[in-house]
Amino acid sequence: NAGVTQTPKFQVLKTGQSMTLQCAQDMNHNSMYWYRQDPGMGLRLIYYSASEGTTDKGEVPNGYNVSRLNKREFSLRLESAAPSQTSVYFCASSEQGGYNEQFFGPGTRLTVL
Amino acid sequence: KNEVEQSPQNLTAQEGEFITINCSYSVGISALHWLQQHPGGGIVSLFMLSSGKKKHGRLIATINIQEKHSSLHITASHPRDSAVYICAVSTRYTGTASKLTFGTGTRLQVTL
């Protein structure tokens, strides 16, 4: 099993460009999450999907959109990238419910110039 | 004030030392997680606990629900333990979804 995979690993964008970060999991998990990690701050939730067909905003959703394509895949889209979106992005998945371990992907390091 | 506070922020230890990292939280939780992040690497779950104590090899995690406090201990530390250790609490978000709220991490360096 690959667990949680993310593509790309690195990306450099210019301000205003768009891109989609891809995430897939092979653990048959219902819930999937997108986080960003910035220096000096804990990981923050951008969007999550409690189950296939549902998505909801997290703490920092502005400037992002998501798609839960199927049970395996959860993508994060930046429509018009801004320097403030320079960050490391992590996708995670878990079984549903409040007492379940989250499994993280390897991360995508994004720089917006 | 952050909902999850860790201390210390940075920690340097010599190989073989006993290490303690602390985590305090201010919200009701369904579980507390300890995670490990190596430099440039991904995030790995070490423990998930809602009461008492768990042990895995040289790592021990404890939680005191009444005091809203958890500790991660590393016995006989080794340079390969050098990493950022992150405390996170699991709380119910909406419906059946839960969310993790993260501390800012403790950067541990173990030297020879």
Side-chain angles (χ1 to χ4, degrees), chain A residues 18-38:
Chain A
S18 62
M19 78 162 295
T20 300
L21 282 65
Q22 307 285 355
C23 173
Q25 52 91 10
D26 61 4
M27 294 173 282
N28 203 36
H29 285 162
N30 287 307
S31 299
M32 297 185 75
Y33 310 83
W34 275 106
Y35 297 98
R36 60 178 288 173
Q37 185 179 40
D38 301 295

PDB file of all heavy atoms in Angstrom, chain A residues 18-38:
ATOM      1  N   SER A  18      -2.471  29.612 -11.684  1.00  0.00           N
ATOM      2  CA  SER A  18      -3.311  28.639 -10.987  1.00  0.00           C
ATOM      3  C   SER A  18      -2.641  27.271 -11.025  1.00  0.00           C
ATOM      4  O   SER A  18      -1.780  27.006 -11.876  1.00  0.00           O
ATOM      5  CB  SER A  18      -4.689  28.560 -11.648  1.00  0.00           C
ATOM      6  OG  SER A  18      -4.555  28.115 -12.990  1.00  0.00           O
ATOM      7  N   MET A  19      -3.011  26.437 -10.079  1.00  0.00           N
ATOM      8  CA  MET A  19      -2.527  25.067 -10.093  1.00  0.00           C
ATOM      9  C   MET A  19      -3.403  24.195  -9.184  1.00  0.00           C
ATOM     10  O   MET A  19      -4.140  24.726  -8.334  1.00  0.00           O
ATOM     11  CB  MET A  19      -1.073  24.964  -9.632  1.00  0.00           C
ATOM     12  CG  MET A  19      -0.867  25.051  -8.140  1.00  0.00           C
ATOM     13  SD  MET A  19       0.741  24.411  -7.623  1.00  0.00           S
ATOM     14  CE  MET A  19       0.616  22.687  -8.056  1.00  0.00           C
ATOM     15  N   THR A  20      -3.309  22.906  -9.390  1.00  0.00           N
ATOM     16  CA  THR A  20      -4.041  21.934  -8.587  1.00  0.00           C
ATOM     17  C   THR A  20      -3.056  20.978  -7.938  1.00  0.00           C
ATOM     18  O   THR A  20      -2.195  20.417  -8.620  1.00  0.00           O
ATOM     19  CB  THR A  20      -5.044  21.151  -9.453  1.00  0.00           C
ATOM     20  OG1 THR A  20      -5.979  22.070 -10.030  1.00  0.00           O
ATOM     21  CG2 THR A  20      -5.793  20.135  -8.607  1.00  0.00           C
ATOM     22  N   LEU A  21      -3.200  20.809  -6.638  1.00  0.00           N
ATOM     23  CA  LEU A  21      -2.426  19.816  -5.897  1.00  0.00           C
ATOM     24  C   LEU A  21      -3.283  18.555  -5.803  1.00  0.00           C
ATOM     25  O   LEU A  21      -4.463  18.624  -5.431  1.00  0.00           O
ATOM     26  CB  LEU A  21      -2.080  20.310  -4.492  1.00  0.00           C
ATOM     27  CG  LEU A  21      -0.932  21.307  -4.337  1.00  0.00           C
ATOM     28  CD1 LEU A  21      -1.247  22.627  -5.016  1.00  0.00           C
ATOM     29  CD2 LEU A  21      -0.629  21.528  -2.862  1.00  0.00           C
ATOM     30  N   GLN A  22      -2.650  17.435  -6.129  1.00  0.00           N
ATOM     31  CA  GLN A  22      -3.376  16.179  -6.152  1.00  0.00           C
ATOM     32  C   GLN A  22      -3.054  15.353  -4.918  1.00  0.00           C
ATOM     33  O   GLN A  22      -1.916  15.355  -4.427  1.00  0.00           O
ATOM     34  CB  GLN A  22      -3.010  15.373  -7.407  1.00  0.00           C
ATOM     35  CG  GLN A  22      -3.167  16.113  -8.710  1.00  0.00           C
ATOM     36  CD  GLN A  22      -4.616  16.266  -9.134  1.00  0.00           C
ATOM     37  OE1 GLN A  22      -5.522  15.738  -8.498  1.00  0.00           O
ATOM     38  NE2 GLN A  22      -4.826  17.012 -10.220  1.00  0.00           N
ATOM     39  N   CYS A  23      -4.039  14.642  -4.422  1.00  0.00           N
ATOM     40  CA  CYS A  23      -3.857  13.756  -3.272  1.00  0.00           C
ATOM     41  C   CYS A  23      -4.687  12.509  -3.499  1.00  0.00           C
ATOM     42  O   CYS A  23      -5.845  12.594  -3.937  1.00  0.00           O
ATOM     43  CB  CYS A  23      -4.300  14.453  -1.993  1.00  0.00           C
ATOM     44  SG  CYS A  23      -4.292  13.381  -0.537  1.00  0.00           S
ATOM     45  N   ALA A  24      -4.103  11.359  -3.174  1.00  0.00           N
ATOM     46  CA  ALA A  24      -4.830  10.097  -3.277  1.00  0.00           C
ATOM     47  C   ALA A  24      -4.440   9.191  -2.115  1.00  0.00           C
ATOM     48  O   ALA A  24      -3.300   9.217  -1.659  1.00  0.00           O
ATOM     49  CB  ALA A  24      -4.529   9.402  -4.607  1.00  0.00           C
ATOM     50  N   GLN A  25      -5.423   8.405  -1.652  1.00  0.00           N
ATOM     51  CA  GLN A  25      -5.144   7.444  -0.577  1.00  0.00           C
ATOM     52  C   GLN A  25      -5.727   6.091  -0.966  1.00  0.00           C
ATOM     53  O   GLN A  25      -6.765   6.014  -1.622  1.00  0.00           O
ATOM     54  CB  GLN A  25      -5.705   7.942   0.765  1.00  0.00           C
ATOM     55  CG  GLN A  25      -7.158   8.357   0.772  1.00  0.00           C
ATOM     56  CD  GLN A  25      -8.139   7.274   1.110  1.00  0.00           C
ATOM     57  OE1 GLN A  25      -7.767   6.168   1.546  1.00  0.00           O
ATOM     58  NE2 GLN A  25      -9.432   7.544   0.921  1.00  0.00           N
ATOM     59  N   ASP A  26      -5.029   5.045  -0.520  1.00  0.00           N
ATOM     60  CA  ASP A  26      -5.456   3.692  -0.881  1.00  0.00           C
ATOM     61  C   ASP A  26      -5.855   2.885   0.348  1.00  0.00           C
ATOM     62  O   ASP A  26      -5.788   1.651   0.344  1.00  0.00           O
ATOM     63  CB  ASP A  26      -4.363   2.980  -1.669  1.00  0.00           C
ATOM     64  CG  ASP A  26      -3.065   2.822  -0.891  1.00  0.00           C
ATOM     65  OD1 ASP A  26      -3.025   3.209   0.303  1.00  0.00           O
ATOM     66  OD2 ASP A  26      -2.086   2.326  -1.476  1.00  0.00           O
ATOM     67  N   MET A  27      -6.269   3.573   1.412  1.00  0.00           N
ATOM     68  CA  MET A  27      -6.623   2.900   2.669  1.00  0.00           C
ATOM     69  C   MET A  27      -8.130   2.827   2.866  1.00  0.00           C
ATOM     70  O   MET A  27      -8.591   2.470   3.952  1.00  0.00           O
ATOM     71  CB  MET A  27      -5.964   3.651   3.829  1.00  0.00           C
ATOM     72  CG  MET A  27      -4.442   3.558   3.780  1.00  0.00           C
ATOM     73  SD  MET A  27      -3.615   4.587   4.995  1.00  0.00           S
ATOM     74  CE  MET A  27      -3.745   6.182   4.196  1.00  0.00           C
ATOM     75  N   ASN A  28      -8.885   3.202   1.840  1.00  0.00           N
ATOM     76  CA  ASN A  28     -10.352   3.158   1.905  1.00  0.00           C
ATOM     77  C   ASN A  28     -10.908   4.060   3.015  1.00  0.00           C
ATOM     78  O   ASN A  28     -11.940   3.756   3.621  1.00  0.00           O
ATOM     79  CB  ASN A  28     -10.861   1.720   2.094  1.00  0.00           C
ATOM     80  CG  ASN A  28     -12.283   1.556   1.610  1.00  0.00           C
ATOM     81  OD1 ASN A  28     -12.692   2.166   0.620  1.00  0.00           O
ATOM     82  ND2 ASN A  28     -13.059   0.747   2.307  1.00  0.00           N
ATOM     83  N   HIS A  29     -10.206   5.166   3.268  1.00  0.00           N
ATOM     84  CA  HIS A  29     -10.651   6.086   4.305  1.00  0.00           C
ATOM     85  C   HIS A  29     -11.787   6.965   3.815  1.00  0.00           C
ATOM     86  O   HIS A  29     -11.833   7.360   2.648  1.00  0.00           O
ATOM     87  CB  HIS A  29      -9.492   6.977   4.761  1.00  0.00           C
ATOM     88  CG  HIS A  29      -8.522   6.263   5.630  1.00  0.00           C
ATOM     89  ND1 HIS A  29      -7.239   6.752   5.846  1.00  0.00           N
ATOM     90  CD2 HIS A  29      -8.621   5.124   6.357  1.00  0.00           C
ATOM     91  CE1 HIS A  29      -6.611   5.929   6.667  1.00  0.00           C
ATOM     92  NE2 HIS A  29      -7.420   4.938   6.983  1.00  0.00           N
ATOM     93  N   ASN A  30     -12.684   7.292   4.729  1.00  0.00           N
ATOM     94  CA  ASN A  30     -13.795   8.172   4.370  1.00  0.00           C
ATOM     95  C   ASN A  30     -13.393   9.648   4.378  1.00  0.00           C
ATOM     96  O   ASN A  30     -13.839  10.422   3.553  1.00  0.00           O
ATOM     97  CB  ASN A  30     -14.952   7.979   5.344  1.00  0.00           C
ATOM     98  CG  ASN A  30     -15.656   6.672   5.121  1.00  0.00           C
ATOM     99  OD1 ASN A  30     -16.081   6.358   4.015  1.00  0.00           O
ATOM    100  ND2 ASN A  30     -15.790   5.879   6.165  1.00  0.00           N
ATOM    101  N   SER A  31     -12.578  10.048   5.354  1.00  0.00           N
ATOM    102  CA  SER A  31     -12.286  11.470   5.543  1.00  0.00           C
ATOM    103  C   SER A  31     -10.925  11.836   4.979  1.00  0.00           C
ATOM    104  O   SER A  31      -9.955  11.095   5.125  1.00  0.00           O
ATOM    105  CB  SER A  31     -12.320  11.821   7.029  1.00  0.00           C
ATOM    106  OG  SER A  31     -13.597  11.573   7.574  1.00  0.00           O
ATOM    107  N   MET A  32     -10.872  13.001   4.349  1.00  0.00           N
ATOM    108  CA  MET A  32      -9.616  13.523   3.814  1.00  0.00           C
ATOM    109  C   MET A  32      -9.491  14.999   4.136  1.00  0.00           C
ATOM    110  O   MET A  32     -10.500  15.700   4.287  1.00  0.00           O
ATOM    111  CB  MET A  32      -9.530  13.273   2.301  1.00  0.00           C
ATOM    112  CG  MET A  32      -9.529  11.792   1.943  1.00  0.00           C
ATOM    113  SD  MET A  32      -9.280  11.452   0.198  1.00  0.00           S
ATOM    114  CE  MET A  32      -7.520  11.786   0.013  1.00  0.00           C
ATOM    115  N   TYR A  33      -8.253  15.465   4.238  1.00  0.00           N
ATOM    116  CA  TYR A  33      -7.972  16.807   4.743  1.00  0.00           C
ATOM    117  C   TYR A  33      -6.854  17.449   3.938  1.00  0.00           C
ATOM    118  O   TYR A  33      -5.941  16.766   3.475  1.00  0.00           O
ATOM    119  CB  TYR A  33      -7.502  16.735   6.208  1.00  0.00           C
ATOM    120  CG  TYR A  33      -8.393  15.923   7.120  1.00  0.00           C
ATOM    121  CD1 TYR A  33      -8.272  14.542   7.189  1.00  0.00           C
ATOM    122  CD2 TYR A  33      -9.350  16.532   7.924  1.00  0.00           C
ATOM    123  CE1 TYR A  33      -9.083  13.779   8.020  1.00  0.00           C
ATOM    124  CE2 TYR A  33     -10.167  15.786   8.766  1.00  0.00           C
ATOM    125  CZ  TYR A  33     -10.021  14.414   8.802  1.00  0.00           C
ATOM    126  OH  TYR A  33     -10.824  13.675   9.635  1.00  0.00           O
ATOM    127  N   TRP A  34      -6.908  18.771   3.851  1.00  0.00           N
ATOM    128  CA  TRP A  34      -5.787  19.550   3.346  1.00  0.00           C
ATOM    129  C   TRP A  34      -5.349  20.535   4.425  1.00  0.00           C
ATOM    130  O   TRP A  34      -6.167  21.275   4.981  1.00  0.00           O
ATOM    131  CB  TRP A  34      -6.163  20.338   2.087  1.00  0.00           C
ATOM    132  CG  TRP A  34      -6.041  19.539   0.837  1.00  0.00           C
ATOM    133  CD1 TRP A  34      -7.057  19.014   0.081  1.00  0.00           C
ATOM    134  CD2 TRP A  34      -4.834  19.171   0.167  1.00  0.00           C
ATOM    135  NE1 TRP A  34      -6.552  18.344  -1.003  1.00  0.00           N
ATOM    136  CE2 TRP A  34      -5.176  18.431  -0.980  1.00  0.00           C
ATOM    137  CE3 TRP A  34      -3.470  19.411   0.423  1.00  0.00           C
ATOM    138  CZ2 TRP A  34      -4.235  17.914  -1.861  1.00  0.00           C
ATOM    139  CZ3 TRP A  34      -2.540  18.898  -0.458  1.00  0.00           C
ATOM    140  CH2 TRP A  34      -2.927  18.158  -1.587  1.00  0.00           C
ATOM    141  N   TYR A  35      -4.033  20.522   4.719  1.00  0.00           N
ATOM    142  CA  TYR A  35      -3.435  21.423   5.690  1.00  0.00           C
ATOM    143  C   TYR A  35      -2.336  22.224   5.011  1.00  0.00           C
ATOM    144  O   TYR A  35      -1.730  21.791   4.048  1.00  0.00           O
ATOM    145  CB  TYR A  35      -2.768  20.635   6.833  1.00  0.00           C
ATOM    146  CG  TYR A  35      -3.689  19.796   7.664  1.00  0.00           C
ATOM    147  CD1 TYR A  35      -3.839  18.429   7.423  1.00  0.00           C
ATOM    148  CD2 TYR A  35      -4.389  20.353   8.727  1.00  0.00           C
ATOM    149  CE1 TYR A  35      -4.667  17.645   8.206  1.00  0.00           C
ATOM    150  CE2 TYR A  35      -5.225  19.577   9.522  1.00  0.00           C
ATOM    151  CZ  TYR A  35      -5.353  18.228   9.254  1.00  0.00           C
ATOM    152  OH  TYR A  35      -6.175  17.454  10.041  1.00  0.00           O
ATOM    153  N   ARG A  36      -2.030  23.370   5.621  1.00  0.00           N
ATOM    154  CA  ARG A  36      -0.823  24.090   5.259  1.00  0.00           C
ATOM    155  C   ARG A  36       0.037  24.264   6.500  1.00  0.00           C
ATOM    156  O   ARG A  36      -0.481  24.384   7.624  1.00  0.00           O
ATOM    157  CB  ARG A  36      -1.126  25.429   4.592  1.00  0.00           C
ATOM    158  CG  ARG A  36      -1.917  26.420   5.407  1.00  0.00           C
ATOM    159  CD  ARG A  36      -2.097  27.735   4.641  1.00  0.00           C
ATOM    160  NE  ARG A  36      -0.848  28.508   4.563  1.00  0.00           N
ATOM    161  CZ  ARG A  36      -0.696  29.609   3.839  1.00  0.00           C
ATOM    162  NH1 ARG A  36      -1.709  30.090   3.125  1.00  0.00           N
ATOM    163  NH2 ARG A  36       0.459  30.240   3.815  1.00  0.00           N
ATOM    164  N   GLN A  37       1.349  24.234   6.273  1.00  0.00           N
ATOM    165  CA  GLN A  37       2.296  24.375   7.375  1.00  0.00           C
ATOM    166  C   GLN A  37       3.215  25.541   7.090  1.00  0.00           C
ATOM    167  O   GLN A  37       3.922  25.551   6.082  1.00  0.00           O
ATOM    168  CB  GLN A  37       3.114  23.096   7.567  1.00  0.00           C
ATOM    169  CG  GLN A  37       4.040  23.142   8.773  1.00  0.00           C
ATOM    170  CD  GLN A  37       4.821  21.859   8.950  1.00  0.00           C
ATOM    171  OE1 GLN A  37       5.291  21.256   7.993  1.00  0.00           O
ATOM    172  NE2 GLN A  37       4.951  21.403  10.193  1.00  0.00           N
ATOM    173  N   ASP A  38       3.221  26.514   7.985  1.00  0.00           N
ATOM    174  CA  ASP A  38       4.040  27.711   7.846  1.00  0.00           C
ATOM    175  C   ASP A  38       4.976  27.820   9.037  1.00  0.00           C
ATOM    176  O   ASP A  38       4.619  27.392  10.151  1.00  0.00           O
ATOM    177  CB  ASP A  38       3.143  28.950   7.773  1.00  0.00           C
ATOM    178  CG  ASP A  38       2.186  28.873   6.595  1.00  0.00           C
ATOM    179  OD1 ASP A  38       2.690  28.887   5.465  1.00  0.00           O
ATOM    180  OD2 ASP A  38       0.959  28.792   6.808  1.00  0.00           O
TER     181      ASP A  38
END
